[in-house]
Amino acid sequence: MTRYVFITGGVVSSLGKGIAAASLASLFKLRGFKVSLQKLDPYINLDPGTMSPIQHGEVFVTEDGAETDLDLGHYERFVGIKMTQDSNVTAGRVYSNVINKERKGEYLGSTVQVIPHITDEIKDLIIRGSKKSDIAFVEVGGTVGDIESLPFLESIRQFSLDLGKSNAIFVHLTLLPYINVTNEIKTKPTQHSVKELRSIGIQPDILLCRGRNPINQAMKNKLALFTNVSKDSVFSAVDAKSIYDIPILFKEQKIDDCIIKNLGIKTKKLNLKPWNDYRSKVSKCKKSVKVAMIGKYVDLVDSYKSLNEALYHAGVLNSRVVEITYLDSEKITSANIKSLRFMNAILVPGGFGNRGIEGKILAAKFARENNIPYLGICLGMQISVIEYARNVLNLKNANSTEFNIKTNNPVVALVEEWKDRSGNKIIADKNNLGGTMRLGSQECLLKKNSLVYQMYKKINIAERHRHRYEVNGNLVSHFDKSNLVFSGISKKGNLMEIIELNNHPWYVGCQFHPEFTSSPIKGHPLFNGFINAASKRKT
Ligand code: GLN
């Protein structure tokens, strides 16, 4: 039987519930339990696919092609299990399921209501997401007190009632603000947050208190008294140097033992070696390597969450601290491009829309002409193809039809547009943008004598996609005799998946997103190779 650990958040958002949930799940996986993770998101969108990365952060793509919350990326990286379509449930999905059932007559005769119809649907989705694991960790997005989260909180309250107290427990992650002037840590916001939870029938079993410093026993006693939580179930969750230290920090406080006690399960021996080894590798990283990331969503680092993590992982595996300089592609001009010379490597990440495109093209050109290691991801690969077509092959005004629908050299275009060779009038349906992408993991075959083959050391790879446009199969012959090689091609042979330059030390573009499958322990072949090349470059 599956047991459930629900994780809620109090006082403010962005406390790191996802990392806390992932760290706890990791400790149980390393004890040999079968664990699952799921995120419940209270917003109305069916999925975050149509949201701006600047508002919501990165959209994490699962192997089976779901566009999900970035916390699922932490789950995969910390626990090493694959998330699926069922691992992220939004209020929009719940309501859409219920409305579909209502239309099919499944509730014939009843008035469809939040309780029990919406809450029953949520409970069903929680059971489906738990995948018959021993322990399911379920994170409720948002902050206790938000109107939107109420149906979710009501559902997990019912869940614990249905299953019995010790089969479903509640962990509340909260903030203890520190007041500088009086040198005090305040417990009042946490008291109120727990009061709010208790008013809807949820008594937290465990409190994880976020703050800059650990809290002492007196503070724990006070919190316990006011929140009705046992004194030995109040813990500190301090800011860590690296997020990958958090499983160790949780273990040091025996938070996992407390969960085991609350769930009333038999303990198994914990093997913390992978995290201890990782920590010791991190401590050996002294030298730094500078990567310029030429993006559009540079104001919110969370927009490139998995990418930042993948670079960091590759840094650790190369004994380097990766320093990322985020540069707004709109501000890059031919006058200031030379400053990139001081970078060890240049990365152009994924993106949508034509804002900042010309700056990215300048950066790709600069990397190509100056032998600077370059990694272009998704849009970043398309940029390289456009740049090469324009500046080396002299295909005038070469472009993607995403940016210029009238270009007479559409080297990147929607597959439906490839057929139109006239080049003048390509009409794309841009009205229906939700769920119209090439998504999820797909197979790709590598050329044996290529740079990427040296990285992956195998021919058959599978990587995750999230894009609409492709290198135009009708125009690839233009590149035949050039130094730009299509070194990875889709299994069917029609889609260009990887490009590289065979007259450059390390220049790779990939149509997929390798960052989604990088892990702290293994990194990812492309990022490991990229950072290795970057550390060899003298600036
Ligand atoms: N906008 C491009 C496309 O849709 C690239 C997408 C991306 O970088 N994820 O094909």
Side-chain angles (χ1 to χ4, degrees), residues 349-353 377-380 382 400 402-403 412 414 437 466-470 511 513:
F352 295 85
I377 296 180
C378 205
L379 174 67
Q382 299 173 356
S400 162
E402 180 179 9
F403 317 129
V412 177
L414 296 172
M437 282 197 245
R466 181 174 184 254
H467 55 102
R468 294 190 180 85
Y469 294 80
E470 306 281 352
Q511 190 55 83
H513 289 270

